[in-house]
Each structure stands twice: as C-alpha cells, then as structure tokens.
Amino acid sequence: MDNAQTAALPLPGFASRFSPRTRALFLLGAAALFAVVAAAWMWSSSPNFGVLFTNVADRDGGAILAQLSQMNVPYRTAEGGTILVPAEKVPEIRLKLASQGLPRGSTVGFEIMESSKFGMTQFQEQVAYQRGLEGELVRSIQTLAPVAAARVHLALPKATGFLREKEPPTASVILQLHPGQTLDRAQIAGIVHLVASSVSELNPKNVSIVDQHGTLLASSREGVAGLDSSQLDYLSQIEESTIKRIEDILEPIVGRGNVRAQVTADVDFSDTEQVDEKYSPNPSPDKTAVRSLHSNESSQPGAAGAQGVPGALSNQPPVPPTAPINGAAPALNPAAAAAPGAAASTNKEQTVNYELDKNIRRTHGASGQIRHLSAAVVVNNKPGEGGQGPGTPYDAKELENLQALAREAMGFSPQRGDSLNLVNAPFTMPEVATAEPVSLLQRPGVMALAQEAGKAVLFLVLTAIVVFGVLRPAVKSIGSAPTLAELAPPPAAALAPPASGPGAGIENVRQIAKSDPATVANVVKVWVADGKA
C-alpha cells in the first residue's frame, strides 16, 4: 500500500481514540469535579446569617421582608417569627429599619390619634386616647431589660361634676419576663410609680402587677397577715440577720456546715400616738400667777316712801304757798321733813383666774418594734477521727455553752418572752453529685466550628475521590492511547513475511498481534474496507 492510499484512509475522531469505558470515566470525573467546585464556591460565598428579629408579628414580618427586598439584602425565615440576615449587617439593618419605624409591633401608641376620622364622637375619642396611653405605657415598660412583653389595662372613670360620685382610676399590668429573669422590689415599685405618674389622679396603691405565671407582684391589697411588701422585707431582714449572727458565732466551734438555725420574729408595725395631760395641785395664792382678773360693781337707789305725819294734818289740804318778800322760807311740813327715805342697793363681783401647773406628754410609738423572737438551732455531732464516721454528741456542759453563745448572738430578752431551743443531733448529709466535665462538643461554639470543619474535610475528600479515582485513570488512558501515525496501516512490505525460512512470516504476525492487538485490528479494518471498495 502506497502513501496515496494511506492519505485516503478515513481518520477517526478524537473520541474514537478512547474506549467507551475511558470516555465514561472522563465525563463522570469532569462532572463530579465541576459539582464539587461549584458546591465549594457556593458554600464559601454564602454569608453567615444572624438573627435580626424574633417573635415578629405577621404584619410586621411582611413589612420587614418587603423592605429587605428593596434593600437587596438576603434573608431567611425560621419558626417563631425569626428573620435571619447576614451577621455582619445586623446592626446596620436594624438601624435602617428603626428609622422607618419597623418593627411597629402590635402595640399602638398615640399615633392612633393621628388617624382620627371626621365625625368621631366624644366617647370614641376617649377610647382612642385610652388605647394610645396604654400603648405608650407598654412601650415604656418593655424597655426594661427583664421584661419581654407587657400589657396595660386602664380603668378610667367617666368625668362627672359631682365630687361624691367620682371614682378613682385603676390600672392592671401583665408582664412577660425573659427566661431566668426576675424583678426585685425596687423595679416593681418603679413600674408602679411609672404607671401612676402617667395617669391623672391614679394612686400607686391602685396599680396591680401580675407576671406570666399569675404571680401577684404588686397590689393595692396588703400582703400576708396584713403586711405590705416593705414590711415583709423588713421582717425577712430581721430573721435573716438573726440567723446569720447565730451561725457566725457557732460555726467556728462546731465547724462550717454543722449548724442550722431558723428564727421567727414577731414585729409590731402598728403606728400609735399617746397624749397625757397632768395637772399638779395649786400652790398658795401668793405664789400663784394671776392669768386674768374681772371685776364688776353696780348700785341701785331705793324707792320713795310715804311722806307726812299720819293723822288729821295729813288728811287736810295743803296751805296755799306764800312767797315772802324778805325773810326765810317757810318751814316744810315737819311730818314730811321727818319722813325717812329708802336706802340704795350696791352689787360688787370679782373673778380671778390663776395659772395652772399642767404637764402635757405626747408619745409616738415607733413602728417595727420586735415583740418576740423564737429561735431553733440544730448542731451536728462532733466529727469522728479523720472526719469519718457518725461522730460523738456534745455533752451537757458544751451544749450549755453553745446555747449561751446563741442567746447573746440573737439578742435574747426575757422581758420580751424570747425563746431559744438548741438541739444536738447527727446530720444526714445528702450525697453531692459531682459535676461531670463538659465535653468539648457540648461547649458553645465548638459544634458550629466542627460543622464548618466537617464541611471542608468533606469537600476535600470528594475532590480527592474524583481526582484520584476518576480523572487520574482517564488521564492515564489518554496518555497510553495510540496516535494517528500508529493507527495508520503499515506498508505491505512490513507485513510481508520474511524471506528467510518457511513459516517465519506467520510467526512474526503472531508476535505483532500479541504485542499490539489494537494496531492489527485497525489494519484488518482497513483491509476489509479496501476489499469492499
């Protein structure tokens, strides 16, 4: 076969140089490598999501998601009204949403007054104002760290012109605290005064506070046994301080944890005031100061009596008077002159007030005085040798000394009727469960780091499997595949049997077929094709 015939032979394509198994391995390896690279790129480029908001209402959730879509911020949603955004953008997104008033929440404040409609009645305006006031109080209370949510109910009486029929306003507050959070007395009192100061004429005693468990935190009613919260706190302080003094004085002797004490205090919280007035006997008048002197004197003349001498002369008409020119006046009737006149009456009154020796004593009883103290003290036995064993009890002298120390520590007063009972008994100590060490996987943050590391290792393993298990054999097959020159049919002279010896040519063909069967097959294909042509 000459060169012209060789050039005219049809050249197989690049894919025909490999066997079907090699082509399948190569395509499978390329697809797997592409999938691994794409997954690694998507995993590395996906942002780390953090919590933006939790417990978001449906209406606020829709508004927030719409705003995030406008801001081209990727987000995810989870159960419980949780919205997730890239962790590095959480503070920025919160500030942007807050500037737009999101999330608004289900609480409505005084903005409800802005949407008032024309023609609203006075009753509707009052209801809208009350709803707005309740919403503003809820927002203020929710700013406290322990409070997760709150509700406020106000009972505002209708205004009336009759003062006798006017009822005081009241308020009720329901608090939902964060898990593990509590409110102390100062915080509760702060909420009470916050609500009372926000409503006109609302007395703090008319504010009731309840938590999510139904526990009454503050109420207008008095506490246990007629005591309010401050009095109960004072009573607890007295009992706890007395217990601490007893344990502090006995523990150095019996050992730490070997004494238990309980104290009950009876405290008088009554507020009394007593006024005493005492008058001393009056001293002599010359040593007594005069406070006031009142004097009254009156006189009255007597009535005129009968005149003239009884007899005939008095029954005769009088003699006509004469007026002498000179001389003395005529004498009066001697009977008339001799008639005595009636005597005049005189009345004198005098009132003298002296200063009194008076003493006034005003006594105000102090509130919170201790009326009675009762203490019960239990002391453990003496520890045994080496701190093991049940131990030995104290003798009577030692118990007497311990009781005397406890009396002095608690401020025992026989006049008050205090009582103290000290008993020696072996303690039954519960077995203390040893805290198991926290495993590495249970520590916070370790699981997240392990998951990220596991993803990286998984991608590396998959990449190694694809490269060394699929691509590498395919590449080796490509390197060992025959070239076009090798696939060309050999010249006829090369295939002719040698001239030396009979049967030598057939042996050479066998050797060639054994060494290179692919080439022999191609040559046979060419011969068959030439024969058909």
Side-chain angles (χ1 to χ4, degrees), residues 111-318:
E111 64 270 10
I112 193 175
M113 304 298 295
E114 300 175 357
S115 60
S116 59
K117 299 180 181 180
F118 180 75
M120 291 181 61
T121 62
Q122 184 178 4
F123 175 74
Q124 292 175 340
E125 292 180 354
Q126 179 66 23
V127 171
Y129 171 76
Q130 182 172 341
R131 286 186 59 192
L133 182 58
E134 291 174 351
E136 294 297 332
L137 288 174
V138 168
R139 291 175 179 176
S140 300
I141 295 174
Q142 286 180 351
T143 57
L144 301 177
V147 179
R151 294 193 66 184
V152 177
H153 303 281
L154 298 178
L156 303 180
K158 185 178 180 180
T160 177
F162 301 96
L163 297 179
R164 293 183 178 179
E165 299 179 359
K166 190 173 183 180
E167 297 180 359
T170 59
S172 301
V173 182
I174 301 177
L175 301 179
Q176 182 179 357
L177 305 180
H178 289 288
Q181 297 289 333
T182 57
L183 292 174
D184 55 16
R185 290 294 178 184
Q187 292 173 323
I188 295 174
I191 296 175
V192 169
H193 287 277
L194 172 66
V195 176
S197 302
S198 303
V199 181
S200 177
E201 299 181 0
L202 178 58
N203 194 321
K205 294 183 179 180
N206 294 333
V207 179
S208 300
I209 300 180
V210 180
D211 62 3
Q212 70 269 26
H213 303 293
T215 304
L216 186 62
L217 303 180
S219 174
S220 58
R221 299 180 179 180
E222 294 182 345
V224 181
L227 304 180
D228 56 17
S229 59
S230 61
Q231 293 173 347
L232 289 175
D233 291 340
Y234 177 70
L235 184 62
S236 299
Q237 290 177 3
I238 293 178
E239 294 175 348
E240 291 175 0
S241 62
T242 306
I243 292 173
K244 187 176 184 302
R245 289 198 301 267
I246 294 175
E247 291 180 349
D248 289 346
I249 197 65
L250 296 182
E251 279 187 349
I253 301 175
V254 300
R256 180 174 296 275
N258 291 326
V259 59
R260 297 289 187 271
Q262 291 295 329
V263 175
T264 302
D266 184 9
V267 182
D268 183 11
F269 291 102
S270 60
D271 190 2
T272 60
E273 184 176 0
Q274 183 179 359
V275 179
D276 295 334
E277 292 186 5
K278 184 178 180 181
Y279 296 89
S280 301
N282 293 332
S284 58
D286 56 344
K287 296 182 180 179
T288 304
V290 178
R291 176 187 293 180
S292 63
L293 175 64
H294 179 71
S295 178
N296 185 15
E297 181 177 357
S298 62
S299 60
Q300 183 178 3
Q307 297 181 358
V309 178
L313 294 179
S314 61
N315 294 330
Q316 294 180 358

